Amino acid sequence: MMTMNLRNKMRGSLMGGAIGDAMGYPVKAINSYAGIQAKYGVNGITRMDITRWWLDNEELEEGKALVTDKTQMTLYTAWGLLNAHSQEDSVNSVREACIEWYLAQVGWRNTEFEQSWLRKVEGLNERRDADYTSLLALKAAFTDEFFFSRSNGNAGMTRIAPVALYAAANGLDILKADQQAAEIAKITHLDPLAYIAAALECHIIYRLATDATPSRESLSAYIQEGMNAVKGLYAEETEALDRLQGTVNKALALAATCTPAAQAVESIGEGKFADEALAIALYCSLKHFGNFEAAITAAVNHKGASEATGTITGNILGTATGYNALPAFYTQRVELQDTILQLADGLWSAPMFNQELVETAAAQSRFVAC
């Protein structure tokens, strides 16, 4: 595939995830679709909310819709991958990047974990409804304390897109990429359901990134291929695999029906668990393949973890459609646009584990490295 097309896809994936995150953030605390309709109209939320929706209706500075920890940790994951010295070091490098995010969240200073220019990006390190399990796990990682985060929540997988994209750009074996995604999810979420779902998401995004002309049919095939792949990689985790397969099957079946989107999504779940969040994203991506606006709207207009389901849907469908096809009324309103595109371009252009190139790119950044 043409390299510029791949760059477009990588930009689309990270930007799409941020759009879904920002769209879902204002409604994640509204516990019914009817409540969302009451606030935003009969079709629910369909455009970026650029007001201080948690306090009043004053417009935010610069008119940008805010993102949550889902986008924040995605960007730190990308930075960690870019700064790994080797394939074996990649998971540890991402772990250190996530710890740096954690320290910024809690306001702690430690020179060992002040390596990233991301610490200087305004808005990127503000506390935005951060996942509690991630905070506890990263605190334990920083203080070298024992913490067994047997959580199957969605936060372990909402930051996985850069893993798939970087692996695809560098021609890394797809099964190795799936395993890498699982290991990175395990940094905070050790339940098999959480990290196997992350591996499946990685597999799907990788395939879409390397497909010059993806279609609804090919996406469906990649989902099935990905399920077979994770069954081979994690055959001993039968309970998690059975649950994931069942939830995904439900999403695939609903995508072939005329069930109203809000009803279909809520019949899958609330997206708080990894399998539900991924299945909702797959349903929205299949049902509205080729229509990013409709897919994102469906992904966030439900009770539950709208920012997570919006993020994953945006990552998946953004990869398929590319950045250039994303509606400008989303891309121009989302927070951190420049940073997102800069890191997407870094993943596209930097050879894997080329530290000299990474340092040069950071030096040329308009941001100051710490």
Side-chain angles (χ1 to χ4, degrees):
M1 103 186 257
M2 295 175 59
T3 54
M4 286 304 293
N5 193 25
L6 178 57
R7 180 192 186 195
N8 185 33
K9 285 171 169 289
M10 294 173 76
R11 282 180 154 213
S13 184
L14 294 193
M15 185 62 71
I19 290 168
D21 185 14
M23 284 282 289
Y25 191 14
V27 299
K28 67 167 294 185
I30 301 177
N31 62 5
S32 69
Y33 179 49
I36 297 173
Q37 290 175 306
K39 182 174 177 63
Y40 291 101
V42 66
N43 295 318
I45 186 168
T46 61
R47 292 293 185 272
M48 297 288 192
D49 189 337
I50 57 172
T51 67
R52 298 179 186 275
W53 43 266
W54 60 96
L55 294 175
D56 49 48
N57 289 321
E58 293 182 8
E59 185 171 317
L60 289 164
E61 292 182 17
E62 300 182 356
K64 299 292 186 180
L66 302 181
V67 298
T68 75
D69 64 316
K70 305 299 185 282
T71 298
Q72 292 175 346
M73 293 196 75
T74 295
L75 298 181
Y76 270 93
T77 296
W79 184 83
L81 290 169
L82 285 168
N83 282 272
H85 296 286
S86 66
Q87 170 68 23
E88 293 71 25
D89 179 55
S90 59
V91 175
N92 185 59
S93 182
V94 172
R95 178 183 292 105
E96 291 181 351
C98 290
I99 290 173
E100 188 157 348
W101 168 83
Y102 163 75
L103 294 177
Q105 292 290 297
V106 299
W108 290 1
R109 301 296 302 273
N110 184 288
T111 54
E112 182 182 352
F113 294 98
E114 292 181 5
Q115 306 299 315
S116 175
W117 55 267
L118 295 179
R119 290 288 291 270
K120 299 292 186 181
V121 179
E122 186 176 356
L124 180 55
N125 300 290
E126 293 180 4
R127 194 73 168 261
R128 302 277 177 79
D129 201 25
D131 175 65
Y132 188 59
T133 297
S134 296
L135 292 174
L136 289 178
L138 293 170
K139 177 184 178 182
F142 172 63
T143 58
D144 200 26
E145 297 175 355
F146 176 77
F147 176 71
F148 189 79
S149 56
R150 183 84 178 187
S151 171
N152 59 9
N154 60 51
M157 60 179 299
T158 50
R159 60 178 185 265
I160 291 302
V163 181
L165 299 172
Y166 198 36
N170 284 275
L172 185 68
D173 178 79
I174 190 169
L175 294 182
K176 289 183 179 178
D178 297 345
Q179 291 173 299
Q180 184 183 52
E183 292 303 311
I184 286 174
K186 285 182 184 179
I187 292 171
T188 55
H189 291 68
L190 288 170
D191 189 280
L193 187 63
Y195 63 76
I196 294 174
L200 176 56
E201 180 192 3
C202 177
H203 195 102
I204 295 165
I205 293 176
Y206 184 113
R207 284 299 190 212
L208 289 172
T210 54
D211 185 343
T213 56
S215 63
R216 180 181 285 107
E217 291 71 26
S218 62
L219 172 56
S220 181
Y222 297 150
I223 295 168
Q224 299 295 349
E225 177 189 293
M227 275 305 313
N228 290 334
V230 296
K231 286 178 180 179
L233 291 171
Y234 305 103
E236 71 283 1
E237 301 295 350
T238 55
E239 183 177 349
L241 288 167
D242 287 346
R243 173 169 164 173
L244 180 60
Q245 181 74 78
T247 314
V248 168
N249 285 348
K250 188 171 188 178
L252 298 181
L254 283 166
T257 71
C258 295
T259 306
Q263 181 181 337
V265 167
E266 292 188 3
S267 71
I268 296 171
E270 296 185 14
K272 296 179 180 179
F273 302 114
D275 62 319
E276 294 176 355
L278 179 57
I280 289 170
L282 295 177
Y283 161 79
C284 295
S285 298
L286 282 169
K287 184 69 177 179
H288 302 289
F289 192 89
N291 188 337
F292 184 87
E293 180 184 359
I296 287 295
T297 299
V300 301
N301 279 289
H302 62 89
K303 66 177 182 179
S306 298
E307 87 294 4
T309 54
T311 296
I312 302 169
T313 302
N315 288 147
I316 292 172
L317 209 53
T319 308
T321 61
Y323 175 74
N324 294 340
L326 298 180
F329 51 75
Y330 288 147
T331 59
Q332 293 176 6
R333 288 294 198 178
V334 71
E335 183 186 26
L336 304 173
Q337 179 185 21
D338 291 344
T339 305
I340 293 164
L341 294 179
Q342 185 173 343
L343 281 166
D345 287 350
L347 293 171
W348 168 71
S349 63
M352 190 170 281
F353 316 126
N354 187 334
Q355 187 63 23
E356 181 179 354
L357 191 151
V358 171
E359 290 172 354
T360 300
Q364 293 174 346
S365 167
R366 68 183 181 86
F367 301 107
V368 179
C370 293

